[in-house]
Amino acid sequence: MNKPSYIIRTPRLGLRPWYDADRAPFARLNQDPDVMRYFPSMPADAETSAAIDRQIHHQSRHGFCFWATDLLEEERFVGFIGLCTTRFSASFTPAVEIGWRVAKDYWGQGLAPEGAAACLEFARERLHLTEVYSFTPLSNRPSERVMQKIGMEHVGSFMHPLIAEGHPLQEHLLYYIRL
């Protein structure tokens, strides 16, 4: 793999396009029960690979995606942070979502808020967006804290249409920021 071409750099992170070499580490991340505890299931390797393919397509179509994210000091893939259009219909869609998923070994270091704040700046300055949403299951307090740290406002909740009715993770908190 050549030296990564970062779309966004922060003091500690590089957000970049996805590479084939990311498939195995992303599959490992998605099989970590702690990382995936706020998701209804852990995706199989084929589903993880399809998710990467969707992000590659999204980047080529929209100029942004949930970017593969490296810890610059270690030159190591640590997850993703980025922006994506919502793939479902709800009262607040169509919308651009900001999201993140970081490997457990890197939790508690402020990486998600650092990368997410840079994504909001990118959304405002480069994409000329005027608003961004984020959402998470009611019980996902760590992600909710990231939303609060980057200045997002809690605006309600909704039943996520892609999660089975009655599932304990179906109800989601909804956050919003005006850029």
Side-chain angles (χ1 to χ4, degrees):
M1 178 173 71
N2 294 333
K3 205 69 166 156
S5 175
Y6 294 113
I7 296 167
I8 296 175
R9 286 179 74 109
T10 72
R12 297 182 294 166
L13 300 172
L15 283 62
R16 60 169 173 76
W18 290 87
Y19 303 134
D20 279 337
D22 297 321
R23 293 180 193 278
F26 191 43
R28 282 191 299 277
L29 178 85
N30 284 342
Q31 289 301 307
D32 184 321
D34 291 329
V35 171
M36 299 305 290
R37 87 180 127 188
Y38 299 111
F39 292 85
S41 63
M42 289 188 284
D45 289 356
E47 293 169 293
T48 292
S49 190
I52 290 174
D53 292 340
R54 278 193 306 276
Q55 293 309 312
I56 291 168
H57 177 73
H58 195 281
Q59 173 69 37
S60 69
R61 185 168 181 210
H62 299 284
F64 60 92
C65 69
F66 289 147
W67 291 295
T69 300
D70 294 336
L71 185 64
L72 295 172
E73 181 179 307
E74 297 178 14
E75 295 184 354
R76 178 183 302 260
F77 172 87
V78 296
F80 72 73
I81 303 172
L83 303 156
C84 194
T85 56
T86 52
R87 296 180 6 180
F88 58 85
S89 180
S91 62
F92 62 94
T93 64
V96 172
E97 167 195 5
I98 187 167
W100 45 83
R101 187 174 308 158
V102 176
K104 180 174 49 180
D105 291 347
Y106 299 94
W107 289 357
Q109 299 177 30
L111 298 179
E114 179 178 320
C119 287
L120 290 177
E121 182 179 336
F122 181 91
R124 182 182 54 252
E125 300 297 323
R126 302 265 307 273
L127 301 174
H128 308 290
L129 297 178
T130 58
E131 62 185 18
V132 172
Y133 287 85
S134 193
F135 42 87
T136 192
L138 295 179
S139 57
N140 191 345
R141 297 298 178 212
S143 271
E144 184 180 18
R145 281 193 300 276
V146 173
M147 294 171 199
Q148 293 165 346
K149 286 178 181 178
I150 61 173
M152 299 189 88
E153 175 186 351
H154 178 236
V155 292
S157 64
F158 71 102
M159 301 307 274
H160 199 300
L162 299 180
I163 298 178
E165 189 171 331
H167 191 285
L169 298 175
Q170 186 187 20
E171 188 171 1
H172 273 53
L173 297 165
L174 181 63
Y175 274 73
Y176 165 88
I177 190 165
R178 187 144 203 51
L179 301 174

